[in-house]
């Protein structure tokens, strides 16, 4: 028996206007709950298929969770409550953050960038030495 | 078998969750199990829909949550706030009043 489709629930909630952090937390709690139910069923001696079926039955339809969330509009993110403000602030925030993106990415990949810079420096040094040797050979020869 | 959230149960899950969390912090799975235990399995909360209820109570300020790692697993533990305690007292009083009213009505109906 397949596990419940938590990804579909997450997608539905995100599209409905719930914030990513809230959706991630809810899905994580549901996944943990489902795992606990499966473990409890397995501990009672049932096989994995029966344990999963029992866990799904106890957890209930994820559709019901989505409906219960929809009944709580207060849990939706601020952009859902004030879409006009969001439509102004999001582009402004994007423009403000854009110049910092290369720096953030650079800081995250500092090790690779340093290694790449080292290789480039080594390559340039070797090339310069070869040219110097060639120049000296021409001059002295 | 206990029916999950029949229509007359409105407000009862909230009362039970607040009552349990008044004693100690718990995570969702623990809460569902504890509700079954303390109600002698008379009340069975919809296990999945307990989380929207917990998130709503947290949003209203009645609960607070924190992540805690136990046995290698990170769980969200909920506990009651001062506002939650006030809410619990109000709900408990409301429930006792309704319970008393229903009992009186039943006895009157029996004696009539």
């Amino acid at each position: 028996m397949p596990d419940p489709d938590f990804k579909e629930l997450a997608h539905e909630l995100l599209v409905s206007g719930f914030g990513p952090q809230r959706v991630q937390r809810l899905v994580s709690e549901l996944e943990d709950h489902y795992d606990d139910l499966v473990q409890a069923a397995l501990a009672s001696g049932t096989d994995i298929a029966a344990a999963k079926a029992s866990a799904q039955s106890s957890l209930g339809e994820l559709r019901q969770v989505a409906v219960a969330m929809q009944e709580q509009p207060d849990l939706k993110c601020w952009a859902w409550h004030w879409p006009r403000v969001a439509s102004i602030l999001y582009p402004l925030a994007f423009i403000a953050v854009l110049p910092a993106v290369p720096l953030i990415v650079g800081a995250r990949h500092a090790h690779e960038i340093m290694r790449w810079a080292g290789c480039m420096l080594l390559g340039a040094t070797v090339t310069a030495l070869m040219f110097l040797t060639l120049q000296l050979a021409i001059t002295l020869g | 078998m206990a029916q999950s959230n029949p229509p007359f149960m409105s407000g009862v899950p909230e009362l039970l969750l607040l009552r349990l969390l008044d004693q100690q912090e718990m995570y969702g799975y623990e809460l569902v199990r504890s509700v079954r235990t303390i109600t002698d399995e008379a009340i069975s909360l919809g296990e999945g829909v307990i989380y929207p209820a917990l998130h709503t109570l947290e949003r209203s300020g009645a609960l607070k949550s924190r992540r805690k790692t136990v046995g290698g697993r990170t769980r969200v533990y909920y506990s009651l706030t001062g506002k939650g305690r006030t809410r619990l007292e109000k709900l408990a009083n409301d429930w006792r009043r309704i319970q008393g009213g229903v009992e009186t009505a039943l006895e009157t109906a029996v004696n009539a």
Side-chain angles (χ1 to χ4, degrees), chain B residues 50-61:
Chain B
I50 194 179
Y51 294 101
L54 288 168
H55 283 223
T56 306
L57 285 168
E58 187 189 14
R59 170 84 180 175
S60 70

Side-chain angles (χ1 to χ4, degrees), chain B residues 45-107:
Chain B
L45 298 179
E47 300 202 13
V49 295
I50 194 179
Y51 294 101
L54 288 168
H55 283 223
T56 306
L57 285 168
E58 187 189 14
R59 170 84 180 175
S60 70
L63 300 181
K64 60 183 176 185
S65 69
R66 69 177 180 125
R67 288 187 184 274
K68 192 169 150 186
T69 305
V70 178
R73 293 179 73 175
T74 305
R75 299 185 185 277
V76 180
Y77 277 77
Y78 295 89
S79 57
L80 209 61
T81 62
K83 199 173 174 182
R85 244 166 232 116
T86 310
R87 176 94 182 125
L88 171 62
E89 282 171 23
K90 187 191 173 301
L91 284 173
N93 288 334
D94 287 351
W95 179 253
R96 286 188 193 104
R97 189 168 48 78
I98 292 166
Q99 186 192 16
V102 172
E103 274 183 17
T104 307
L106 288 174
E107 282 172 15

Side-chain angles (χ1 to χ4, degrees), chain A residues 14-63:
Chain A
L14 286 170
V15 169
S16 306
F18 293 94
Q21 282 184 325
R22 181 165 303 282
V23 172
Q24 194 182 8
R25 187 177 129 191
L26 178 79
V27 168
S28 157
E29 285 178 306
L30 286 167
E31 284 175 335
D32 280 344
H33 196 116
Y34 177 69
D35 286 345
D36 284 335
L37 287 166
V38 171
Q39 292 305 320
L42 287 173
S44 69
T46 53
D47 63 273
I48 186 72
K52 284 187 173 184
S54 164
Q56 286 199 25
S57 169
S58 298
L59 191 66
E61 291 285 327
L62 292 184
R63 183 86 209 97

Side-chain angles (χ1 to χ4, degrees), chain A residues 81-137:
Chain A
H81 290 285
W82 297 288
R84 287 188 182 178
V85 178
S87 67
I88 294 166
L89 285 184
Y90 273 141
L92 288 176
F94 180 73
I95 291 165
V97 167
L98 202 55
V101 170
L103 293 174
I104 294 166
V105 173
R108 280 188 181 174
H109 300 279
H111 181 70
E112 290 93 331
I113 290 170
M114 290 298 286
R115 202 167 57 184
W116 174 80
C119 289
M120 291 298 286
L121 191 64
L122 185 65
T125 307
V126 169
T127 308
L129 282 173
M130 285 172 66
F131 276 118
L132 185 64
T133 308
L134 192 61
Q135 184 66 41
L136 284 172

